[in-house]
Amino acid sequence: SPCRSPMPQPTIFVAATRQHVGKTTVSLALMSGLQKRFNKVGFLKPVGQQHLPVRDESGNQLRVDKDVQVMKEYFKLDHVPYSAMSPVIIPSGYTARYIDGEVSNEAQCAAIRRAHETISSGSDVVLAEGTGHVGVGSVVEVSNARAAAMMGAEVVLVANGGIGKAFDELEMNRMMFAHEGVRVRGVVLNKVLPEKVEYVRSKMGRLLEQRWGVPLLGVVPELSYLSKPTLAELEKALDGDLLAGHRCRTLHYGVENSFLVTTGLRRFLRRAFEQRSPSEWRRPLFVTHVTRDDLLLGYLAQHQRLMTAQGGAVDGPRDWAGAMVLSTGASKGFPDKEAFPDDTEPLTYLTQMAKDSNAPVLITRYGTLDALHIIESYTAKHSIHDTARVSAAVAHYEPNIDFDALLQG
C-alpha cells in the first residue's frame, strides 16, 4: 500500500468481527496490562465515527472519538497529545464529501501516518483501536485493514463467544487483513457463557493453531453488569426528562428487568413487590403510559416504603432502587390523531409526590412499546463519566488475557 509506514515500535491494532462485540472493553484491558509492562503506552483510534469536543493541552477545543477520551483520561496518557489520537473522524456527510472529491485519500493517509509517528516517537508500545467490523471505512478507503497496514500494525481480533459462528466471522475478517498484508497476532473471544469457557478455550484454541498458527489470547466469560446502561444513559436514549430521583442517574439497570406494565394496580403490586423480595429484584424498570395514575401512585407508595426500610440508601449491594418510565406518546403503529394536554404529564400532585420522595420517574415522548424497544435494544458504551463500569471491565477482562502470548507475537 502507498500509505504503509512501518514503525520500529510494535503497534497492536484491536479489531472486531462486527459492532458491539466488546472491542473497546478489550482495548481497555490491553491498555491496563501493557501499562504494567511498559513505561509509556501510546493510544490512537485512526478512524472514528462517534465524536465529542475536548480541550487539548493548550486549552484549545477539538473533536475526538469518544473512546479516545476514555483512554486518555482514565489511563492518564499525558505523553500522548489529543491532536494525534483521532486523526480521521467520519461525521455525517463525510462520505458524500469524499465521493465528491472534497476530501482526498492522500490527506487521510497523511493524517493517520503523522498521528502514528507522533505517538510512536514518545511511546514504548502503541495500542490502536479500530471501528466497527474490519471493513468499516472502506467507502472512504480507510477500512480497519487499510489503517492497520498504514501503521505497520499487527492485529488482535475480537469476536463474541462460541466456535462455529465465531470462527466463520473471524475468517472473513482475517481475509481482509490478509489482503492488506496485515498479520493477525491473536484472538480474544468475548461474552462466553461461563459454563462454556473451558470447552471453547480448548476447541477454539486448537482450531486457531491448526488453521492460522496463532494463539487464542483470551476467553472472557460474560459479565452482564457491563452491558447494563445507567439511568442517565437511558434518559438520553429516550430523549427523556428525569422528574426526580437524580441520585439514581449513575446506577445501572438491566434490560432483563425492564417491564411494560399493562395490568391493573393490584396485579402490578403483587407481581412487582409481593412475589419478589427487593434484594432479588433490586433495580426493575417499569414502563407504562403517563395516564396510568394508579400505577404511578402505587409505585411511589412502594418506593417510599422501601426507602424507609433501607434508610434511604440506593447504591448498596442489596438496596432496592426501582425506576418508572412514563410514556407520553403513542406507538408508531397506532398514532394519536391529536395529542391531549392531559396526556403529556402526570397529575400535578403525583409529580410533587415523586419529587418529595426523590423517586426516579422518567418522562419520555415515545409510546410505551417504542420506549421498551429502545431500552431493550440499547448497547451500553464506555464513558469517562462512568468510571465504575470502566474499572469493572478492566478488572474482569485483564486477568483473562494472556499477555505473554500477545507480546511473544
Side-chain angles (χ1 to χ4, degrees):
S1 167
C3 295
R4 184 186 296 275
S5 179
M7 302 299 293
Q9 293 86 357
T11 293
I12 299 167
F13 188 100
V14 182
T17 54
R18 51 193 165 93
Q19 197 178 21
H20 305 324
V21 300
K23 178 173 66 277
T24 300
T25 310
V26 170
S27 297
L28 291 168
L30 289 177
M31 175 59 74
S32 178
L34 290 171
Q35 282 193 329
K36 295 178 174 69
R37 294 162 174 84
F38 295 90
N39 184 32
K40 290 185 176 180
V41 183
F43 178 82
L44 77 159
K45 189 157 182 173
V47 180
Q49 291 177 294
Q50 297 181 26
H51 48 92
L52 43 73
V54 296
R55 295 279 178 187
D56 67 10
E57 298 72 20
S58 303
N60 302 313
Q61 184 171 295
L62 70 161
R63 300 194 76 84
V64 298
D65 185 272
K66 58 181 181 53
D67 296 328
V68 162
Q69 184 193 38
V70 176
M71 284 287 185
K72 181 166 171 63
E73 303 298 333
Y74 186 82
F75 290 105
K76 298 178 171 56
L77 304 181
D78 298 332
H79 68 291
V80 183
Y82 260 134
S83 58
M85 297 181 76
S86 201
V88 175
I89 292 176
I90 305 179
S92 177
Y94 187 94
T95 299
R97 288 173 52 222
Y98 187 86
I99 293 170
D100 292 340
E102 297 174 31
V103 180
S104 74
N105 185 37
E106 291 74 19
Q108 292 179 148
C109 286
I112 292 173
R113 185 167 57 243
R114 189 167 54 247
H116 184 236
E117 287 172 352
T118 298
I119 293 171
S120 256
S121 65
S123 306
D124 301 309
V125 64
V126 176
L127 182 68
E129 184 186 341
T131 184
H133 60 74
V134 177
V136 168
S138 295
V139 69
V140 293
E141 299 182 275
V142 280
S143 67
N144 285 242
R146 179 68 60 85
M150 289 179 205
M151 300 184 295
E154 294 190 348
V155 171
V156 172
L157 255 179
V158 182
N160 276 353
I163 297 174
K165 182 181 179 183
F167 187 81
D168 292 347
E169 292 180 351
L170 285 164
E171 177 64 16
M172 181 171 63
N173 284 271
R174 183 188 72 88
M175 292 299 290
M176 284 202 71
F177 282 119
H179 179 70
E180 294 290 344
V182 177
R183 175 176 174 256
V184 173
R185 185 177 280 209
V187 169
V188 173
L189 288 184
N190 182 28
K191 302 179 185 177
V192 178
L193 293 173
E195 64 272 19
K196 295 282 189 180
V197 166
E198 292 310 317
Y199 177 79
V200 170
R201 193 194 314 277
S202 170
K203 300 300 181 187
M204 183 63 91
R206 191 182 314 163
L207 186 59
L208 289 171
E209 288 288 356
Q210 289 173 350
R211 302 283 178 86
W212 297 2
V214 304
L216 178 59
L217 299 171
V219 179
V220 185
E222 185 168 24
L223 183 64
S224 62
Y225 165 77
L226 297 179
S227 62
K228 293 180 178 180
T230 62
L231 195 58
E233 288 173 321
L234 290 177
E235 182 183 15
K236 184 176 181 181
L238 290 166
D239 191 19
D241 179 31
L242 201 58
L243 292 181
H246 296 89
R247 62 184 178 154
C248 295
R249 264 202 172 112
T250 58
L251 301 184
H252 296 82
Y253 289 79
V255 297
E256 71 278 5
N257 287 328
S258 304
F259 299 93
L260 177 61
V261 186
T262 59
T263 63
L265 176 60
R266 281 181 296 169
R267 183 166 168 79
F268 166 61
L269 294 178
R270 185 166 61 249
R271 297 189 70 195
F273 298 98
E274 295 172 17
Q275 294 178 353
R276 295 174 174 85
S277 69
S279 60
E280 289 177 314
W281 210 24
R282 292 174 52 235
R283 292 178 189 166
L285 204 57
F286 306 117
V287 181
T288 194
H289 198 266
V290 71
T291 54
R292 291 299 305 269
D293 305 316
D294 56 335
L295 296 179
L296 176 56
L297 182 59
Y299 158 76
L300 291 173
Q302 292 298 323
H303 177 272
Q304 205 163 24
R305 177 181 67 81
L306 289 165
M307 288 302 104
T308 300
Q310 59 198 41
V314 293
D315 54 1
R318 297 180 66 83
D319 289 334
W320 185 90
M324 180 162 272
V325 175
L326 298 177
S327 296
T328 63
S331 295
K332 294 173 186 173
F334 191 65
D336 287 335
K337 289 185 178 179
E338 57 180 302
F340 289 90
D342 288 350
D343 293 353
T344 58
E345 57 186 26
L347 293 175
T348 304
Y349 85 92
L350 290 177
T351 299
Q352 192 58 49
M353 274 185 67
K355 292 178 178 178
D356 290 345
S357 60
N358 205 12
V361 175
L362 196 158
I363 300 278
T364 175
R365 62 182 176 81
Y366 290 99
T368 51
L369 291 175
D370 295 332
L372 186 67
H373 175 72
I374 289 169
I375 293 168
E376 291 181 337
S377 59
Y378 186 83
T379 300
K381 292 295 184 180
H382 291 292
S383 162
I384 195 60
H385 304 297
D386 188 2
T387 54
R389 181 187 286 141
V390 176
S391 298
V394 170
H396 182 65
Y397 274 65
E398 189 180 342
N400 287 295
I401 294 175
D402 187 342
F403 283 87
D404 291 337
L406 169 68
L407 296 172
Q408 284 168 4

